[in-house]
Amino acid sequence: MHYAIAPSILSANFANLAHDVGLVEKAGAEYLHIDVMDGHFVPNITIGPAVVAALRPHSKMIFDVHLMIEKPEKYIQDFARAGADLITVHAEATVHLHSLLQQIRATGCRAGIALNPSTPLEVLDYVLELTDLVLVMTVNPGFGGQEFISAVLPKISRLKEKLQAARCKALIQVDGGINVRTAAAVARAGADILVAGSAVFGAADPAAAIAQIREAARS
Ligand code: DX5
Ligand code: ZN
């Protein structure tokens, strides 16, 4: 099984982003995970469409935009135009999930749904046909470098079963506290894509860190 790695630039050097993005692309990362926070849905404030647009010419990786913002429907068009390939919205951040996913797909981007640790899988019912990816949060969103919440592991396995039962091809992405110690359990539970921020960009050698996480996932 091949596990895709999505380094999160939240832990990269913001004064030298293009360099850091180049490092992980050369190391074979498939996705570039871009954490967008608005200071409302989560306490932190991070990246907007201008940064996504500035990075776009520097990379061919899949730009995986994780929106941790209120009223995500207002910004889909902006992130799509900036160069997102995949836009993931939090189920908790909208009361109109179905139409939001339609809106994302209409831009030509793939559509993802993110679930906070305490959000049940039932929110996915009735929208699976519009879903290309489900992001299972294994920390409370807002900051990099937090501890992995292992109580969420059974949710990943149940999600895998649910997708198979529905013959849904959506990918499972796991985000938060992923490192060489947690990758194997997440992979075993059914993850396809592993997001890692501090474990990659906090390492002395990010390329080696990616290889080690991939290896740990396979073990
Ligand atoms: C958390 C973000 C994550 C974060 C992961 O709110 O969604 O993508 O960057 O960071 P680590 O891998 O350090 O937990
Ligand atoms: Zn994220």
Side-chain angles (χ1 to χ4, degrees), residues 28 36-37 49 51 64 79 81 96 105 119 131 136 172 186 201 203 213:
V36 176
M37 307 185 187
V51 175
D64 157 26
F79 282 101
R81 271 199 213 112
H96 299 293
R105 286 248 183 114
T119 301
T131 307
V136 179
I172 300 178
V186 162
F201 290 109
I213 294 168

Side-chain angles (χ1 to χ4, degrees), residues 8 10 33-37 66 68 135 137 173 175-176 195:
S8 162
L10 184 59
H33 188 80
I34 302 170
D35 285 308
V36 176
M37 307 185 187
H66 176 192
M68 287 159 276
L135 192 178
M137 291 299 307
Q173 185 179 54
D175 184 8
V195 176

Side-chain angles (χ1 to χ4, degrees), residues 6 8-11 33-35 37 42 66 68 90 135 137 139-148 175-179 195-200:
S8 162
I9 57 169
L10 184 59
S11 295
H33 188 80
I34 302 170
D35 285 308
M37 307 185 187
V42 292
H66 176 192
M68 287 159 276
H90 268 263
L135 192 178
M137 291 299 307
V139 297
N140 288 296
F143 300 94
Q146 301 182 81
E147 203 186 322
F148 181 80
D175 184 8
I178 304 292
N179 54 41
V195 176
S198 50
V200 169

Side-chain angles (χ1 to χ4, degrees), residues 36-60:
V36 176
M37 307 185 187
D38 66 351
H40 293 275
F41 182 70
V42 292
N44 200 2
I45 301 180
T46 57
I47 293 163
V51 175
V52 178
L55 285 175
R56 188 67 280 185
H58 294 273
S59 172
K60 291 193 163 55

Side-chain angles (χ1 to χ4, degrees), residues 91 97 113 115-128 134-136 152-163 172:
L97 185 57
I113 305 177
L115 306 177
N116 282 337
S118 66
T119 301
L121 294 175
E122 280 66 34
V123 299
L124 302 171
D125 290 347
Y126 318 111
V127 292
L128 278 182
V134 180
L135 192 178
V136 179
V152 180
L153 277 171
K155 183 155 79 168
I156 304 170
S157 338
R158 273 185 228 126
L159 171 60
K160 181 90 185 169
E161 288 163 18
K162 190 181 182 81
L163 295 177
I172 300 178

